[in-house]
């Protein structure tokens, strides 16, 4: 789970004044190519956030393209490997 404030709710009670804002989500996209620039289809990609709370994965299409969506703002490390 992501770091968050705890809210205690007792039986029969109502807790109000719990306000929060959602982060705007982003995405990472690109193309995986070999050392001479040829696209690599079916490559596996894994994205790790610096805080390690977020991981995401994707595969490239036949033209080597990929997109990973719904990412929280932050710093990420992207690893790719060819099948």
């Amino acid at each position: 789970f992501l770091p968050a404030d705890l809210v205690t709710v007792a039986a029969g009670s109502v807790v109000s004044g719990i306000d929060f804002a959602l982060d705007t989500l982003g995405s990472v996209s690109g193309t995986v190519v070999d050392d001479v620039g040829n696209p690599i289809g079916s490559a596996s990609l894994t994205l790790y956030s610096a805080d390690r709370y977020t991981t995401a994965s994707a595969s490239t299409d036949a033209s080597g393209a990929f997109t990973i969506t719904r990412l929280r703002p932050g710093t990420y490390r992207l690893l790719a490997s060819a099948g």
Side-chain angles (χ1 to χ4, degrees), residues 20-73:
F20 61 94
L22 296 175
D23 290 329
T24 301
L25 301 178
S27 63
V28 174
S29 62
T31 305
V32 178
V33 298
D34 64 17
D35 57 350
V36 294
N38 297 315
I40 300 177
S42 300
S44 298
L45 296 106
T46 306
L47 187 77
Y48 299 94
S49 63
D51 62 11
R52 297 185 184 251
Y53 281 114
T54 302
T55 61
S57 59
S59 297
T60 59
D61 63 16
S63 64
F66 71 92
T67 301
I68 300 173
T69 60
R70 302 187 47 81
L71 298 172
R72 293 172 44 99

Side-chain angles (χ1 to χ4, degrees), residues 3-32:
D5 295 333
L6 296 176
V7 176
T8 302
V9 179
S13 69
V14 174
V15 178
S16 61
I18 308 299
D19 299 321
F20 61 94
L22 296 175
D23 290 329
T24 301
L25 301 178
S27 63
V28 174
S29 62
T31 305
V32 178

